[in-house]
């Protein structure tokens, strides 16, 4: 399953809301879609699993939604610390795949 | 808490075998599935495969012919071997824990090592 993320780059201001899209080439079970944040020089950090469940310690400013082939990560009240690259990932069955990423810039 | 740490050579010659080990500390290696994921410089993430302490494994088809993973429960470690390395295998290699267990429905990578950079060059 190919995951296509858009936009490639998103530039927003602090306090605004970010909407990141992840589109799958085939239907993905809602239990099998996750989102990660990666900052330079660091490993990815799990934000959302099962489409909408926040991982431990993740702020409620991060929320996930979607079904079938279209999924969204929404980040409200943007903070400069939210800058980074965001990846979606699916596991309907092997092989597991990641999207190409969306780079979020907070200026 | 559980932590992962990758180790292995940072430089591998072309055609040789890339070998890495991930040490699991603070918890048992028998509870989860363990994965290798890589990221070429400036690029996205690629899943390499997973291994379970039972011996069950699954590899990404493009790499399957060159990948071998194993587990050493006595050392709480799992390993990756990637044969016939080329420059295209140059990447940061991460080990990661798959969060799902018999009782936890967390189908994602909930724990990652810091990553280790491997360069394939003569």
């Amino acid at each position: 399953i190919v995951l296509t993320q858009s936009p490639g780059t998103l530039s927003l201001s602090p306090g605004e809301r970010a909407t990141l899209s992840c589109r799958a080439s085939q239907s993905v079970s809602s239990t099998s879609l996750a989102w990660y944040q990666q900052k330079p020089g660091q490993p990815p950090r799990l934000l959302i699993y099962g489409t909408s469940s926040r991982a431990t310690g993740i702020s409620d400013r991060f929320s996930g939604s979607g079904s079938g082939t279209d999924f969204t990560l929404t980040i409200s009240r943007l903070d400069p610390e939210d800058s980074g690259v965001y990846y979606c990932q699916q596991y309907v069955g092997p092989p597991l795949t990641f999207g190409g990423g969306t780079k979020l810039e907070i200026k | 808490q559980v932590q992962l740490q990758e180790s292995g050579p940072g430089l591998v010659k072309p055609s040789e075998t890339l070998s890495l080990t991930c040490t699991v500390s603070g918890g048992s290696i028998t509870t989860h599935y363990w994965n290798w994921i890589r990221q070429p410089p400036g690029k996205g993430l690629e899943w390499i495969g997973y291994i379970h302490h039972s011996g069950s494994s699954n590899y990404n088809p493009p790499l399957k012919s060159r990948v071998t993973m194993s587990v050493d429960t006595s050392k709480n470690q799992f390993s990756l071997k990637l044969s016939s390395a080329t420059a295209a295998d140059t990447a940061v290699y991460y080990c990661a824990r798959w969060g799902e267990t018999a009782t936890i429905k967390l189908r994602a990578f909930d724990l990652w090592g810091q990553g280790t950079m491997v360069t394939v060059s003569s």
Side-chain angles (χ1 to χ4, degrees):
Chain A
I1 296 178
V2 177
L3 299 178
T4 301
Q5 294 188 239
S6 62
T9 302
L10 189 56
S11 295
L12 294 169
S13 299
E16 292 190 309
R17 171 183 295 187
T19 302
L20 286 66
S21 173
C22 176
R23 179 163 290 177
S25 59
Q26 301 173 43
S27 184
V28 173
S29 165
S30 62
T31 62
S32 302
L33 196 288
W35 291 90
Y36 302 84
Q37 175 196 60
Q38 186 178 33
K39 297 186 177 185
Q42 296 183 19
R45 176 176 68 146
L46 178 64
L47 298 174
I48 300 287
Y49 65 94
T51 297
S52 59
S53 297
R54 277 185 296 277
T56 301
I58 300 303
S59 167
D60 60 5
R61 296 187 299 105
F62 292 86
S63 62
S65 62
S67 64
T69 60
D70 290 304
F71 298 86
T72 300
L73 174 68
T74 302
I75 312 170
S76 61
R77 305 185 306 279
L78 283 169
D79 183 279
E81 280 297 307
D82 298 330
S83 294
V85 180
Y86 291 78
Y87 294 96
C88 57
Q89 167 250 307
Q90 67 78 27
Y91 188 61
V92 171
L96 178 151
T97 55
F98 292 91
T102 290
K103 183 177 183 179
L104 176 61
E105 300 175 335
I106 314 296
K107 296 181 178 180
Chain B
Q1 73 276 24
V2 182
Q3 293 183 316
L4 306 181
Q5 180 65 59
E6 305 90 348
S7 59
L11 181 64
V12 175
K13 289 183 167 55
S15 80
E16 295 189 345
T17 295
L18 183 159
S19 296
L20 297 173
T21 296
C22 182
T23 300
V24 181
S25 60
S28 173
I29 201 169
T30 63
T31 56
H32 290 75
Y33 284 78
W34 303 93
N35 293 255
W36 289 98
I37 295 158
R38 70 181 183 178
Q39 185 171 36
K43 297 189 178 180
L45 300 162
E46 180 181 32
W47 175 71
I48 300 171
Y50 71 67
I51 184 76
H52 189 257
H53 75 93
S54 64
S56 171
S57 63
N58 196 289
Y59 306 142
N60 200 344
L63 301 170
K64 187 174 183 177
S65 64
R66 299 194 292 128
V67 170
T68 303
M69 295 184 186
S70 59
V71 173
D72 186 337
T73 54
S74 67
K75 295 181 179 179
N76 236 30
Q77 295 177 334
F78 63 102
S79 298
L80 167 70
K81 291 187 185 300
L82 182 64
S83 64
S84 304
T86 71
D89 296 315
T90 295
V92 175
Y93 286 75
Y94 296 101
C95 56
R97 184 178 77 177
W98 186 247
E100 185 176 27
T101 67
T103 55
I104 300 173
K105 301 303 178 185
L106 198 164
R107 297 171 61 82
F109 300 111
D110 66 341
L111 185 64
W112 295 68
Q114 283 301 304
T116 188
M117 179 68 201
V118 179
T119 300
V120 180
S121 174
S122 55

